[in-house]
Amino acid sequence: MSEQARQQAAQRGQWRRLPLIDSPRLRWGLAIGAVVYLFLALASVEVNWERVAEGAGRAVNFLGAFMQPDFVSRYDDIVAGLLESLTMTLTSTVLGVLLAIPVGLGAARNISPLPIYFVCRAIIAVSRTFQEIIIAILFVVMFGFGPFAGMITLAFATIGFMAKLLAEDIEDLDWRQVEAVRATGASWWQTMNHAVQPQVMPRLIGLSMYRLDINFRESSVIGIVGAGGIGATLNTSLSRYEYDTSAAILLIIIAIVLLCEYSSSHVRRWTQ
Amino acid sequence: MPVSTTPQGLPVWRRRTTRAQWLQYLAWLAGVSLFLLCWKMISDNTMWVFVEDAGRQGADLISRMTPPEWGYANVLWKPMWDTINIATLGTALGIMMAFPVAFLAARNTTPHPLVRSLALMVIVSSRSINSLIWAMLLVTILGPGVLAGIIAIALRSIGFVGKLLYEAIEEIHPTPVEAISATGASRLQVMNYGVLPQVMPAFAGISVYRWDINIRESTVLGLVGAGGIGLQLNASINSLAWDQVSVIFIMIFATVLVSEWISARVRHAII
Amino acid sequence: MLTLTGVGKRYPTGDRALTDIELTLPKGQVMALIGPSGAGKSTLIRCVNRLVEPTQGSIRLDGTELTKLSGHKLRHARRSMGMIFQEYALVDRLTVMENVLSGQLGYVGFWRSFLRRYPQEAVIEAFRLLERVGLPHAIDKRADALSGGQRQRVGIARALLQSPKLLLVDEPTASLDPKTSRQIMRLIRELCAERELAAIINIHDVALAQQFADRIVGLRAGEIVFDGLPSELTSEILTTIYGEEDWDTTPEPMDEEVSGDETTNTAPINPPYARVMSSIEAGAAR
């Protein structure tokens, strides 16, 4: 309906909301497309209802287990897995952040030469595209089972995450401050230290804390493919249907993530 | 002030006071020793022979992965379709559940502080637990298959979408809300007219961004039996068919790039 | 028609915003409420429609005690009090027509309003009001595509669609340039006359208040320090309200500080969702 027609209709008291998409053909096309897709997608979901009915009892057991989590009977496994996860988290974050700094500097278009820029951006792209668990599979093959492969995996993922954000920070930092420091005759290193570092440092610390939190969450799954950590313990308990132990592990994970978030918000306030 | 005077009466500038300087040294010392301690624990649990062998293993892996067995790609279309369905249906289900949770969790729209902490609890639990763990859990309950994957993705998405959305709700401009309340509108009408239009772009943006992440995550759900291309990946790895694995990797890479592109396009169209 | 007796407001922090306000507003009277920033002008009119809860005293509108109302009854009472805001308080992403029709929310049920199926009479009245304020061509424009003066007109139309008995007007001109300010004040004045509406207008521009109001009330530190005709407002009284200043040489205070606003604005620079979206764009949200 034209603008004028809508005004005349409104004058007579007839008014409908403006459609979100102007062209009726596109509007109906999208709607029908969505319905067809939904139909095809739902049709391709095969559900074994007998198996689901059988599992319903387990679901109840599992919910019950949350009421009575069992920290005790697999105490040693839980502690060992947890310690491994925590150590992996810490070392990988430290290593990852340290390595992300040169990569991030290299990936910032305004301070690095073109060839280095492309190499660093490629590293970032690869690290960000693949799930941690896929990278973990490869590193487990290379470095053998255990937390070392897990640590390398998480460090690699950290590099992609941190370097991209760091590079973007550097790309839009306040250039006048850099020039002011340069104008005093400072060398490249001095410029970095006095003009770039103060501008990006607070966010860098905040992001590192955040990445610590992500790394912990990830460390709880890469154990599934043998890269160490609490994931292996969790996987075992689930496949043995020891839901009370699984519930205990999940509760611990939630508690640690909460703790991480709480403390990182404090650290962020403290550094800014 | 960190300007002090030497015994000779000359002013000395330091960045920090002596006490602060010492505290900083101590903090660094504690940090470094914690790192070394962790490193030692990892090192104790590591077979260094294998690590030293890593270069050779890596080269071996690459040689086995190349050339990719392209013919295998034909087997992968159906699993890829499943993967996309897991991500899309899971996202749809997840955002449907996240939407009310976000409104209950935002300080300015929650009906009661108690409800708020409950909603926050839901969000934190969902966020803390990786979709693979949700999938493992659901596979033991529902049996292996796409359904477990969809629900796993949905459960993980609640926390993500819920958190970002409730933050967006808390940042809306309060005056339009006030104005709508002043007309005598009911609570739901205030949400519908005052709050919703202000967060709609954020909601759409968050949802399509989560969809993009979910495509990534659903590629690996098959590792624990929850359907999609991960099942093939698992099978190929177990049979050491690395030339098939590389085909799968390439397909995942391509799909992820496409979904990332779509999601960025949609987000730009919204704003 | 509107009677305030002994109204006080103390914030939980202990700050006293209003003390013992006594005020009676007859039907059809346009009253300007002047006073320095922080004198409690905004709090006072927000107490009337209970956007702010008064801590003591009674407020009666046509015999109904407003301070005790809750739920359905409160919404019912709010319908009869139209409010006009300083920053227009339109919902940016809704169209002009939707913004005006939101004045009907107190009258229609949730599903009707959700589906935007407003009664025919409401739409006719909304369009007539838009014609009256001079914006019939803009019904399908989004509110954030309008200039400041146009937005304020939409805000006025929304308030009038409530068919109110009373208008509560909070600094209607604070964000407008001098010329638009006068146009808006004249419009409010005319509409009040046409519909026999009473109005309380918070305004910091004393000259505008004197020109357009029937009565002026001066507020200082939460207390009424002047109540009289515009012509009775002398320099001495202004000094008691605002403190020492050479009043005769500032005929239209504050005018220069306000930027011109009759050109079309673009969308607000910082939409509420900006931070969330930027964290998504950076890929930092996990």
Side-chain angles (χ1 to χ4, degrees):
Chain A
M1 225 192 309
S2 78
E3 219 173 293
Q4 242 105 47
R6 280 181 63 86
Q7 279 164 33
Q8 276 155 15
Q11 199 166 15
R12 278 177 276 117
Q14 258 124 43
W15 173 85
R16 288 281 170 274
R17 187 208 307 241
L18 265 189
L20 198 61
I21 301 164
D22 264 340
S23 140
R25 198 177 293 168
L26 185 63
R27 191 159 72 227
W28 285 103
L30 279 178
I32 293 169
V35 170
V36 169
Y37 170 76
L38 203 65
F39 181 77
L40 286 178
L42 285 174
S44 77
V45 177
E46 286 161 20
V47 185
N48 181 351
W49 290 109
E50 271 171 50
R51 180 66 182 74
V52 172
E54 191 188 315
R58 293 212 189 104
V60 174
N61 284 352
F62 185 77
L63 286 179
F66 260 102
M67 300 297 122
Q68 283 176 307
D70 177 6
F71 295 90
V72 188
S73 44
R74 303 260 163 209
Y75 183 76
D76 291 340
D77 290 345
I78 295 178
V79 169
L82 206 58
L83 268 181
E84 217 165 69
S85 265
L86 287 172
T87 49
M88 261 161 47
T89 306
L90 191 92
T91 47
S92 66
T93 310
V94 172
L95 280 182
V97 171
L98 288 181
L99 292 172
I101 291 173
V103 179
L105 290 174
R109 188 65 206 96
N110 51 355
I111 54 169
S112 84
L114 207 59
I116 296 182
Y117 171 76
F118 280 122
V119 172
C120 292
R121 284 284 166 178
I123 296 176
I124 292 176
V126 172
S127 148
R128 288 176 64 90
T129 309
F130 285 102
Q131 283 293 90
E132 278 85 346
I133 195 118
I134 291 185
I135 298 171
I137 292 173
L138 296 179
F139 282 147
V140 166
V141 173
M142 283 173 68
F143 297 102
F145 288 101
F148 189 82
M151 182 190 76
I152 300 286
T153 304
L154 293 178
F156 184 65
T158 307
I159 292 174
F161 178 87
M162 293 293 295
K164 174 163 186 275
L165 295 170
L166 183 62
E168 267 154 26
D169 262 16
I170 296 173
E171 276 171 0
D172 35 68
L173 54 76
D174 183 0
W175 208 239
R176 286 165 308 177
Q177 294 187 33
V178 179
E179 271 165 3
V181 172
R182 240 187 226 159
T184 63
S187 70
W188 191 86
W189 282 109
Q190 286 169 324
T191 318
M192 288 295 132
N193 183 234
H194 282 86
V196 177
Q197 191 201 342
Q199 289 190 61
V200 295
M201 206 54 184
R203 210 164 103 92
L204 189 67
I205 293 174
L207 284 171
S208 309
M209 290 302 292
Y210 183 44
R211 186 64 216 188
L212 195 74
D213 173 21
I214 299 176
N215 277 347
F216 177 74
R217 283 188 263 158
E218 291 298 332
S219 80
S220 65
V221 291
I222 54 178
I224 298 172
V225 295
I230 190 90
T233 324
L234 183 63
N235 199 8
T236 320
S237 74
L238 275 173
S239 52
R240 286 184 189 148
Y241 302 118
E242 290 172 353
Y243 287 141
D244 38 8
T245 304
S246 322
I249 296 175
L250 290 180
L251 287 174
I252 293 174
I253 293 176
I254 294 174
I256 292 180
V257 170
L258 260 180
L259 198 73
C260 258
E261 250 170 37
Y262 185 72
S263 55
S264 78
S265 73
H266 267 273
V267 170
R268 242 171 282 166
R269 220 170 300 149
W270 179 54
T271 52
Q272 267 162 19
Chain B
M1 271 297 282
V3 179
S4 54
T5 323
T6 59
Q8 287 82 34
L10 293 169
V12 177
W13 176 82
R14 278 204 221 97
R15 224 171 126 198
R16 297 183 176 83
T17 57
T18 321
R19 205 175 106 84
Q21 188 74 65
W22 275 106
L23 272 176
Q24 213 197 1
Y25 284 145
L26 264 177
W28 273 104
L29 190 70
V32 170
S33 21
L34 185 64
F35 175 74
L36 289 176
L37 188 75
C38 289
W39 178 264
K40 182 163 182 317
M41 284 185 63
I42 288 186
S43 151
D44 288 347
N45 285 321
T46 306
M47 306 279 281
W48 284 100
V49 219
F50 286 140
V51 176
E52 280 149 22
D53 202 28
R56 216 171 50 75
Q57 288 288 347
D60 186 37
L61 196 61
I62 289 174
S63 77
R64 284 207 249 168
M65 284 174 98
T66 48
E69 194 198 323
W70 293 110
Y72 188 60
N74 287 328
V75 188
L76 295 177
W77 299 117
K78 171 73 168 91
M80 208 54 188
W81 166 249
D82 279 345
T83 302
I84 292 169
N85 288 341
I86 292 174
T88 312
L89 296 177
T91 312
L93 200 62
I95 59 184
M96 272 192 272
M97 293 189 274
F99 190 76
V101 173
F103 275 83
L104 297 180
R107 204 171 275 120
N108 46 354
T109 53
T110 189
H112 194 272
L114 251 156
V115 178
R116 174 165 197 261
S117 29
L118 208 70
L120 286 178
M121 205 53 226
V122 170
I123 288 176
V124 168
S125 326
S126 153
R127 256 161 54 75
S128 316
I129 297 173
N130 196 293
S131 52
L132 264 172
I133 299 182
W134 283 119
M136 284 197 308
L137 206 78
L138 286 160
V139 165
T140 68
I141 292 174
L142 299 172
V146 174
L147 184 66
I150 293 174
I151 299 179
I153 289 287
L155 287 177
R156 173 65 180 82
S157 304
I158 294 177
F160 180 90
V161 177
K163 174 164 189 273
L164 288 176
L165 185 60
Y166 99 73
E167 286 174 355
I169 295 174
E170 285 185 350
E171 281 170 29
I172 59 172
H173 299 310
T175 43
V177 180
E178 210 181 19
I180 299 292
S181 320
T183 65
S186 68
R187 231 188 137 76
L188 278 177
Q189 286 174 326
V190 173
M191 302 279 169
N192 183 211
Y193 276 71
V195 181
L196 202 58
Q198 294 197 57
V199 295
M200 222 44 208
F203 179 57
I206 295 163
S207 304
V208 34
Y209 179 57
R210 185 64 218 182
W211 171 77
D212 162 23
I213 298 178
N214 281 345
I215 290 268
R216 237 173 265 229
E217 298 208 331
S218 55
T219 58
V220 295
L221 289 181
L223 291 176
V224 296
I229 201 168
L231 286 173
Q232 263 63 29
L233 181 63
N234 205 17
S236 299
I237 290 172
N238 286 341
S239 58
L240 299 177
W242 290 102
D243 47 355
Q244 294 179 357
V245 171
S246 55
V247 177
I248 297 176
F249 279 1
I250 291 168
M251 279 196 74
I252 292 179
F253 193 74
T255 315
V256 167
L257 283 186
V258 171
S259 75
E260 208 167 64
W261 180 79
I262 294 175
S263 130
R265 280 297 297 270
V266 172
R267 287 201 305 271
H268 283 286
I270 294 166
I271 299 173
Chain C
M1 186 186 71
L2 179 76
T3 321
L4 281 73
T5 29
V7 171
K9 169 69 186 171
R10 183 198 283 274
Y11 283 105
T13 50
D15 297 328
R16 274 203 95 86
L18 294 173
T19 345
D20 204 22
I21 301 291
E22 304 278 342
L23 203 61
T24 305
L25 194 69
K27 194 176 167 75
Q29 187 182 63
V30 176
M31 185 196 97
L33 196 59
I34 61 171
S37 306
K41 306 194 296 283
S42 273
T43 309
L44 179 61
I45 66 166
R46 278 173 169 73
C47 279
V48 175
N49 66 0
R50 297 267 307 278
L51 287 176
V52 168
E53 294 294 334
T55 36
Q56 50 186 254
S58 109
I59 302 174
R60 288 179 162 275
L61 179 69
D62 278 343
T64 319
E65 174 61 55
L66 297 179
T67 51
K68 299 282 188 299
L69 298 178
S70 68
H72 187 71
K73 289 203 172 117
L74 174 62
R75 279 165 34 211
H76 213 79
R78 276 179 177 167
R79 296 199 313 212
S80 53
M81 297 179 281
M83 188 155 177
I84 297 167
F85 291 80
Q86 170 180 358
E87 302 283 352
Y88 331 123
L90 300 184
V91 184
D92 280 342
R93 298 183 62 87
L94 295 183
T95 64
V96 166
M97 194 59 166
E98 283 173 298
N99 267 296
V100 175
L101 281 172
S102 65
Q104 275 280 312
L105 287 176
Y107 295 90
V108 301
F110 173 74
W111 287 109
R112 259 198 121 121
S113 67
F114 182 78
L115 299 168
R116 311 293 199 264
R117 300 278 159 125
Y118 285 92
Q120 201 174 1
E121 316 82 72
V123 176
I124 291 176
E125 174 66 6
F127 191 80
R128 227 183 20 231
L129 281 166
L130 276 173
E131 278 183 322
R132 177 66 187 82
V133 300
L135 290 168
H137 54 277
I139 56 169
D140 286 333
K141 275 198 185 150
R142 252 171 56 166
D144 53 10
L146 301 180
S147 70
Q150 289 172 330
R151 288 189 209 199
Q152 192 56 289
R153 287 162 196 274
V154 176
I156 293 170
R158 170 177 65 191
L160 289 176
L161 193 67
Q162 292 174 227
S163 4
K165 301 172 197 158
L166 169 70
L167 279 184
L168 301 169
V169 191
D170 192 15
E171 302 280 10
T173 61
S175 316
L176 300 174
D177 68 67
K179 182 168 164 236
T180 319
S181 297
R182 298 174 71 84
Q183 289 169 345
I184 291 292
M185 285 303 286
R186 189 169 298 122
L187 181 65
I188 293 175
R189 180 74 239 210
E190 286 168 7
L191 287 166
C192 285
E194 283 166 23
R195 298 168 174 246
E196 292 194 302
L197 295 179
I200 303 181
I201 306 179
N202 276 352
I203 190 158
H204 59 232
D205 186 330
V206 178
L208 275 181
Q210 276 177 304
Q211 188 177 353
F212 291 103
D214 303 324
R215 171 182 170 194
I216 289 185
V217 169
L219 212 58
R220 177 174 194 170
E223 285 176 84
I224 294 181
V225 289
F226 171 78
D227 188 349
L229 296 173
S231 52
E232 294 167 4
L233 200 63
T234 58
S235 316
E236 293 83 68
I237 291 168
L238 282 175
T239 305
T240 51
I241 298 174
Y242 287 97
E244 203 61 56
E245 177 62 57
D246 186 2
W247 295 106
D248 297 327
T249 55
T250 46
E252 292 200 351
M254 318 274 300
D255 266 355
E256 269 68 43
E257 287 173 30
V258 187
S259 60
D261 207 25
E262 204 43 278
T263 50
T264 302
N265 301 9
T266 44
I269 307 147
N270 229 350
Y273 44 86
R275 199 192 56 76
V276 168
M277 289 312 270
S278 72
S279 88
I280 286 181
E281 287 310 321
R286 273 298 188 88

